[in-house]
Amino acid sequence: MGLSFLLTATKAAVFVLLSRISQLLVTILFGPSNSDKKSNGVLCYDVLCDWKFFALQGGDPSLFTLKFTGVKDLTWLDRDDVTLYHVTEKEFFFVRSKSGVDIHDAGKHPFLYVVKHDTAVEVGTVAREVIVDYLRGSGRMDRDGSNISILHNIGRCGSTLVTSMVSKTKQCHVLSEPIALMDVVNILTNKERAITRDAVEYFHLLKEVLVLLTPDPDKKYFIKTHSQIIYLLPLFHQVMPGMKEAYMHRAMRPTVTSMLRAFSDMGPFWIMEKIFIPQMPKNVQKLWLENRVAEFGNSIIIMTLANIHLYLNETKDRNDMKSFSYESLVADKYAFCKSLFQELGIGVEHVDLALTAMEKDSQKNSVISKAKTGASKVEVTEEALEWGKTIGRTLGVEMDGHDYRISNIQHSWNSQT
């Protein structure tokens, strides 16, 4: 993996350097003026070049070379082909996708951030304070989220398959892993204040992003999150109490093995540790430092335990977020789908159609498709699983059986209930 990663990293560095140089030159020649930058409109740019590279693809406008074309009215944001793309604390980025592409078709495009990047023809940037005034002036910040369903998950647990099933019904606009929510995670987990229900200073950013991701109050939206979005879990119900939430998980052994096969060759352990461990709650970071094992399997286990720990904490006094396991899907796919649809407000008459999504790999058009990961024989070790079982007890997570199933998950659905 060392030589392969070195070549990959070198190629990525070259792409990034070229993109920065090209953007600097284009900005010097065609960049917006100071008066343009101070406007209360959308600074619009044509995409001249996409320096796409699979390890860096999606969610990063700096991978484009952009030519400034002018300032447009904020109504540009209301176009059907314009969607929120990337968020910072001071600026929001939107992309206009090429015509004829349904970015909400999760069967064709399993990850929203990838298809948005691949089909972008125009990028618009707006200062955050301008966006906030726009949303408040239009009354959009008053929404309670009753038209939104969200599926939190631990990753590699069948959530992408479920998303394809929902997409098949055409009853919702599907947003599979919108990168803007990951931007919120990266912003808030870097702050000193913990992400808790009473962290009111964090409410506005999350709600702004959710409103912009789901702009039409008369349409239903289904959001499948990255697993790290769980770090925002204490905030969702506070900012949008009408939102429907569900949780999906899987036994620890197959989850970690699947993660290893999909991601362990994308870089050395220390890079993954540097990126993902600091996102976890401080108490879990401390537990990791006290029991650290410098192996991919162990780091995946601690992140998965953090995910489950947060779900267990959030649902101690809530019974409105049912949990669904991959194992229950396999045991009775029809009953699983029917129950999930009832939770999300989708008509059960669409179950048969939804189940046709199981006929193909839900991640076929991605770098982690079964065809690309199925050849791997990597397995999580017994030592790592036993380590995880001990750490899990500290976090209130109990596991048993050969596959280390979560035995104390709350509000769990199964085919017998």
Side-chain angles (χ1 to χ4, degrees):
M1 185 180 74
L3 179 58
S4 174
F5 172 75
L6 182 61
L7 291 173
T8 300
T10 300
K11 186 176 180 181
V14 170
F15 271 60
V16 170
L17 179 61
L18 289 174
S19 69
R20 298 296 191 273
I21 293 172
S22 66
Q23 186 60 67
L24 177 62
L25 293 174
V26 173
T27 300
I28 291 172
L29 293 172
F30 305 105
S33 66
N34 288 331
S35 61
D36 291 328
K37 294 177 182 179
K38 294 176 182 178
S39 72
N40 289 329
V42 185
L43 274 66
C44 289
Y45 303 79
D46 283 344
V47 177
L48 296 184
C49 180
D50 177 7
W51 298 91
K52 181 174 62 178
F53 182 66
F54 80 90
L56 301 172
Q57 172 181 322
D60 186 355
S62 67
L63 295 180
F64 295 130
T65 297
L66 302 172
K67 178 186 176 183
F68 178 68
T69 56
V71 178
K72 294 183 180 179
D73 187 85
L74 288 171
T75 55
W76 181 82
L77 303 176
D78 297 327
R79 293 178 53 137
D80 289 339
D81 56 357
V82 170
T83 49
L84 181 65
Y85 180 60
H86 172 64
V87 172
T88 71
E89 286 194 84
K90 296 183 177 181
E91 195 170 21
F92 283 18
F93 295 75
F94 299 79
V95 294
R96 180 170 63 84
S97 301
K98 65 176 66 173
S99 61
V101 178
D102 182 3
I103 65 172
H104 299 292
D105 185 346
K108 292 182 179 178
H109 312 294
F111 303 114
L112 186 65
Y113 63 95
V114 175
V115 66
K116 280 188 180 184
H117 187 97
D118 287 352
T119 63
V121 293
E122 188 176 17
V123 173
T125 70
V126 189
R128 184 183 171 195
E129 61 266 25
V130 173
I131 281 287
V132 170
D133 289 343
Y134 180 62
L135 293 177
R136 288 177 178 168
S138 63
R140 301 183 196 188
M141 291 298 286
D142 298 331
R143 289 169 49 193
D144 70 349
S146 56
N147 64 324
I148 304 172
S149 300
I150 189 164
L151 182 63
H152 305 288
N153 62 89
I154 66 171
R156 308 304 292 174
C157 61
S159 57
T160 304
L161 172 58
V162 168
T163 302
S164 293
M165 292 160 65
V166 173
S167 182
K168 275 281 187 182
T169 71
K170 304 296 184 184
Q171 299 302 297
C172 304
H173 280 271
V174 172
L175 291 82
S176 181
E177 302 190 6
I179 207 72
L181 285 175
M182 271 302 304
D183 293 329
V184 178
V185 169
N186 291 328
I187 291 168
L188 298 188
T189 56
N190 273 310
K191 294 186 178 297
E192 192 63 32
R193 171 73 187 269
I195 300 173
T196 55
R197 290 181 182 179
D198 60 350
V200 294
E201 62 267 44
Y202 297 161
F203 289 3
H204 292 297
L205 178 61
L206 178 58
K207 187 161 188 177
E208 290 155 19
V209 168
L210 287 170
V211 167
L212 289 167
L213 285 172
T214 60
D216 191 336
D218 297 321
K219 293 179 180 177
K220 286 185 177 180
Y221 293 89
F222 174 84
I223 302 174
K224 194 273 281 194
T225 66
H226 289 84
S227 60
Q228 300 100 305
I229 305 304
I230 201 73
Y231 302 137
L232 304 177
L233 187 60
L235 305 180
F236 280 100
H237 190 65
Q238 305 303 310
V239 303
M240 283 194 163
M243 180 187 294
K244 302 174 186 70
E245 296 178 83
Y247 182 73
M248 193 160 180
H249 61 97
R250 188 182 186 184
M252 187 66 75
R253 182 190 295 275
T255 297
V256 179
T257 292
S258 182
M259 288 272 194
L260 288 170
R261 292 177 179 179
F263 303 117
S264 63
D265 64 346
M266 290 189 177
F269 167 80
W270 64 268
I271 288 183
M272 305 295 279
E273 182 182 32
K274 185 176 179 62
I275 293 173
F276 296 115
I277 297 298
Q279 295 176 333
M280 299 190 305
K282 295 292 191 295
N283 66 313
V284 187
Q285 290 186 49
K286 182 174 183 291
L287 195 59
W288 169 254
L289 291 174
E290 292 170 350
N291 299 274
R292 181 178 180 272
V293 178
E295 297 288 345
F296 272 107
N298 296 75
S299 64
I300 292 169
I301 287 171
I302 193 73
M303 288 187 287
T304 305
L305 288 172
N307 191 301
I308 299 165
H309 167 69
L310 285 166
Y311 171 76
L312 293 176
N313 275 354
E314 179 65 15
T315 54
K316 282 179 180 178
D317 60 354
R318 290 179 59 187
N319 59 9
D320 59 343
M321 194 192 319
K322 190 170 285 187
S323 65
F324 295 82
S325 71
Y326 177 79
E327 290 78 16
S328 64
L329 168 60
V330 173
D332 191 336
K333 59 187 180 181
Y334 186 90
F336 174 99
C337 192
K338 180 180 178 181
S339 180
L340 180 66
F341 280 16
Q342 289 172 333
E343 287 294 308
L344 301 178
I346 299 174
V348 296
E349 67 272 17
H350 300 288
V351 169
D352 288 327
L353 175 61
L355 291 175
T356 62
M358 299 184 72
E359 296 170 1
K360 71 171 190 174
D361 178 9
S362 60
Q363 298 179 348
K364 180 180 179 181
N365 301 320
S366 77
V367 296
I368 51 174
S369 65
K370 287 182 181 177
K372 294 176 181 176
T373 61
S376 174
K377 302 301 180 184
V378 177
E379 299 276 349
V380 61
T381 66
E382 298 298 325
E383 292 81 6
L385 288 167
E386 281 300 308
W387 175 90
K389 192 171 185 177
T390 301
I391 299 297
R393 290 195 189 101
T394 305
L395 293 171
V397 180
E398 298 290 340
M399 294 180 282
D400 59 27
H402 173 75
D403 279 347
Y404 292 75
R405 293 192 183 192
I406 313 305
S407 58
N408 66 326
I409 201 79
Q410 292 162 179
H411 314 302
S412 180
W413 176 86
N414 62 64
S415 59
Q416 305 304 313
T417 61

